[in-house]
Amino acid sequence: MILLRQLLGDVLRRLRVRQGRTLREVSTLARVSLGYLSEVERGQKEASSELLASICGALGVPLSQVLREVSDQFALAELQAAPVLADVPEHERLPLAESVPGSISDTVFPEVKDMVAA
């Protein structure tokens, strides 16, 4: 099962490490305890929207960018788990985005489609 809190923690950790920042630095700027931030990054705690906004502010990254990256990772993980659908009878399956008329999936998330194709 894909857990949103784990994907969110991974994205936050990647952003922090990419910036060369320590947990202590970010926790001080975000005004959250170092231990709690560590648990959020490891996907052990669910962060509130206020806490996420504070962490994103400390990282200097818009919350929308973090959520977009989490959404892309979630979509990729779901697509990689797609073979599980083979056990679901055809009549019980939801239509795939490509088969839905007027779907915007190709225009909004082309990078996700490219990642899956790779």
Side-chain angles (χ1 to χ4, degrees):
M1 175 185 238
I2 306 161
L3 295 178
L4 182 60
R5 69 174 187 256
Q6 289 176 332
L7 292 175
L8 182 59
D10 288 344
V11 169
L12 291 172
R13 183 184 310 108
R14 250 194 326 274
L15 287 169
R16 179 181 59 76
V17 169
R18 193 178 308 147
Q19 293 178 7
R21 316 265 299 274
T22 64
L23 271 171
R24 185 171 309 282
E25 264 183 280
V26 175
S27 70
T28 300
L29 288 171
R31 294 190 167 151
V32 61
S33 76
L34 185 136
Y36 196 81
L37 179 58
S38 175
E39 288 178 313
V40 168
E41 282 192 0
R42 288 181 282 137
Q44 296 177 336
K45 293 287 184 186
E46 297 274 355
S48 68
S49 57
E50 292 86 358
L51 180 65
L52 284 176
S54 184
I55 294 169
C56 289
L59 291 169
V61 177
L63 178 57
S64 60
Q65 178 183 333
V66 170
L67 295 177
R68 191 174 313 112
E69 194 168 331
V70 169
S71 177
D72 289 348
Q73 292 296 318
F74 206 94
L76 182 60
E78 286 178 326
L79 288 172
Q80 289 174 339
V84 173
L85 292 177
D87 297 335
V88 178
E90 184 71 35
H91 68 279
E92 292 180 17
R93 296 183 197 175
L94 293 175
L96 295 176
E98 302 89 47
S99 64
V100 176
S103 173
I104 60 169
S105 64
D106 291 341
T107 57
V108 178
F109 302 110
E111 63 279 358
V112 173
K113 187 174 180 182
D114 293 342
M115 286 189 291
V116 172

